[in-house]
Amino acid sequence: MKPAPFEYRRPGTIAEAVTALAGGTDSKVLAGGQSLVPLLSMRLAAPALLVDINAIPGLDTIEVEGEDGGVRVGALARHAAVLASPDVHRVQPLVPMALAHVAHATIRNRGTTVGSLVHADAAAEMPAVLALLGGSVEVEGPAGGRTIPADELFVGPLESSLAHDEIALSAYFPALAPGAGVAFDEIARRHGDYALVGAAALVDGDEVRVGYLSVADVPTVVDLSGVAEEELGDAALTHLEPGDDIHATAEYRAQLVRVLTTRVVRSAREHAQQSREGRR
Amino acid sequence: MTEELHDVRLSVNGTTYDTRVPARRLLSDALRHDLGLTGTHVGCEHGVCGACTILVDGEPMRSCLMFAVSAVDHELTTVEGLTNEDGSLSPVQQAFSECHGLQCGFCTPGFLTTITAGLRDNPTPTHEEARDMIAGNLCRCTGYQNIVKAVERAAELVELAELVETPAPEAGR
């Protein structure tokens, strides 16, 4: 279980990193590496070049900004730092709710939230959260910078819409609207494992939306506005086709979708209620 | 094809080591094979089992999920670096000895580093927090009862050591 040989560059600036990636198409960016290194070790991936961005200063920021006062997380902000940030808790509580389910504390000490997003694993928590919230990722490439909205970011299994020579610099999570509520839950065989199914809910007035992980090849968001509580699970399943794998049958996943959908929507409604009462 | 080698300077347990490794050398392998610090154990080698956990700038991380070339700017602490300055056992090591937390001992280095950092951040864990502290480490011997006991005993030992305000007590072996 050793990685295949690769060329290694450790640039000190974003410009140098973009230059290092230019030219070849067989390269990967290394930030936390908590998903990438296992893929390399198992030789499921064998890029010719690894560009380690850990020596680039200024990428570990967590800042509240933007018109709606959402939170921007830099490419080297570790999950643990994002999870511990009072600003993130205050501005968008769904982010820490979901981060608490990302692997174990030790992995969160090294893994980055932005890395998890561009790794685009449909079984991971943060892509589903970004998709549900309608967030975005800021990237830099040879042609300059651009913003990729979440609904254009996730293309397929472990595939994002970043070009091979683009680097993700930050992710933006919109703030929770006043009076709105969120919730996250997942079922995993052991805490810290990838979820068999996970769901994140956002309730804002009559609007009810739920984002799912481990159900499809990409994180999937379903609009359940106007659906009666006892119908939520079945309504969600009309938009989803859970699959079979070695971890769970499609039938079992469908049942988890029913249970989790009801649970997270109820819990998000309670959260909305609490936040309304807290503001009075 | 000859593989490109990188000169890396690693700071481990307060000692500086210069070595030359290919970029793909996992930090766990660099510690064991290049530096001879075989206290760090390698179990699953994909980040699941926690046997290779070391402290990177004081924070527990999986050394099998880092490359040695990425570890240059950090202070690393392996299980060899956990003993007190006089060579006696640290409170966590002492507690493992007292509570038979080692069992076969293979997973022990990862537990010791994880718990050392865990008790620094939360010196008085509840029973539930003590269990949660070690949730990312696998022990395949049997249950985790003795290890959880060791976490709680280590917390007591740290508290006792602070009460008497002397250097850590002599290891009573």
Side-chain angles (χ1 to χ4, degrees):
Chain A
M1 302 260 289
K2 308 294 178 192
F6 52 80
E7 253 189 89
Y8 174 83
R9 296 291 171 265
R10 189 178 170 85
T13 66
I14 294 160
E16 284 171 26
V18 171
T19 306
L21 287 173
T25 55
D26 189 14
S27 50
K28 285 296 253 183
V29 173
L30 173 67
Q34 304 298 283
S35 300
L36 179 61
V37 177
L39 286 183
L40 299 176
S41 283
M42 290 187 261
R43 302 209 179 186
L44 297 170
L49 169 70
L50 225 58
V51 177
D52 182 345
I53 61 169
N54 281 284
I56 301 177
L59 288 181
D60 60 351
T61 50
I62 300 169
E63 287 167 338
V64 176
E65 65 160 50
E67 283 175 14
D68 66 351
V71 65
R72 181 168 295 284
V73 173
L76 287 178
R78 313 289 166 182
H79 289 308
V82 180
L83 181 56
S85 161
D87 279 343
V88 176
H89 275 265
R90 180 172 47 81
V91 168
Q92 184 44 267
L94 180 59
V95 170
M97 283 177 192
L99 276 173
H101 292 268
V102 175
H104 294 286
T106 309
I107 303 288
R108 296 196 293 264
N109 283 338
R110 184 73 185 166
T112 64
T113 301
V114 171
S116 169
L117 291 169
V118 296
H119 187 61
D121 190 339
E125 290 81 2
M126 300 321 287
V129 165
L130 193 81
L132 176 68
L133 296 175
S136 59
V137 169
E138 200 74 31
V139 304
E140 183 75 20
R146 66 179 178 122
T147 301
I148 308 176
D151 59 5
E152 293 170 21
L153 182 64
F154 307 112
V155 178
L158 298 179
E159 189 184 358
S160 76
S161 57
L162 267 73
H164 67 85
D165 51 3
E166 284 181 322
I167 296 176
L169 297 185
S170 68
Y172 182 71
F173 295 93
L176 187 64
V182 285
F184 186 93
D185 203 356
E186 67 178 37
I187 302 288
R189 290 187 61 228
R190 292 175 311 177
H191 176 69
D193 281 4
Y194 281 111
L196 297 173
V197 173
L202 173 62
V203 171
D204 187 1
D206 295 334
E207 187 192 344
V208 177
R209 290 191 303 140
V210 180
Y212 295 89
L213 47 127
S214 284
V215 174
D217 285 347
V218 291
T220 309
V221 179
V222 173
D223 191 334
L224 296 172
S225 306
V227 178
E229 183 160 317
E230 59 275 16
E231 307 286 327
L232 284 167
D234 286 322
L237 282 170
T238 61
H239 300 273
L240 301 166
E241 277 183 56
D244 275 309
D245 60 23
I246 57 166
H247 304 296
T249 61
E251 193 184 353
Y252 181 48
R253 277 213 168 79
Q255 178 59 15
L256 293 181
V257 166
R258 284 189 200 97
V259 170
L260 284 174
T261 303
T262 313
R263 201 182 281 176
V264 292
V265 171
R266 188 178 297 155
S267 162
R269 284 190 170 127
E270 284 166 10
H271 184 235
Q273 179 74 24
Q274 282 162 12
S275 85
R276 281 196 298 271
E277 283 166 1
R279 275 164 207 277
R280 273 210 297 266
Chain B
M1 186 185 97
T2 51
E3 194 170 353
E4 187 183 14
L5 297 176
H6 300 260
D7 290 314
V8 295
R9 172 165 289 186
L10 297 177
S11 175
V12 191
N13 306 327
T15 303
T16 303
Y17 298 83
D18 286 301
T19 184
R20 172 173 279 210
V21 293
R24 61 174 164 150
R25 178 82 91 242
L26 299 173
L27 179 55
S28 45
D29 289 337
L31 291 170
R32 290 177 57 84
H33 304 307
D34 299 298
L35 310 187
L37 296 168
T38 53
T40 298
H41 287 177
V42 174
C44 71
E45 219 168 37
H46 61 276
V48 173
C49 77
C52 71
T53 305
I54 63 166
L55 304 182
V56 179
D57 299 328
E59 298 301 328
M61 292 186 191
R62 303 282 203 248
S63 61
C64 78
L65 295 189
M66 284 181 71
F67 293 114
V69 286
S70 299
V72 288
D73 296 331
H74 301 286
E75 286 295 325
L76 312 178
T77 308
T78 66
V79 67
E80 289 96 338
L82 295 184
T83 47
N84 296 320
E85 278 180 21
D86 63 1
S88 61
L89 297 181
S90 73
V92 181
Q93 291 170 318
Q94 178 65 32
F96 263 65
S97 169
E98 288 179 18
C99 302
H100 189 42
L102 282 90
Q103 303 180 122
C104 92
F106 189 83
C107 65
T108 305
F111 274 101
L112 293 176
T113 48
T114 302
I115 295 165
T116 299
L119 287 179
R120 179 200 60 208
D121 296 341
N122 178 8
T124 52
T126 62
H127 187 67
E128 212 37 53
E129 286 167 343
R131 292 170 63 86
D132 192 55
M133 195 179 286
I134 58 165
N137 292 65
L138 297 183
C139 159
R140 308 202 86 162
C141 284
T142 55
Y144 294 77
Q145 305 307 320
N146 293 343
I147 299 172
V148 176
K149 274 183 210 156
V151 176
E152 293 172 331
R153 177 61 182 149
E156 282 175 12
L157 289 172
V158 172
E159 204 179 353
L160 284 173
E162 280 170 2
L163 279 179
V164 293
E165 282 184 316
T166 53
E170 284 289 314
R173 266 170 283 188

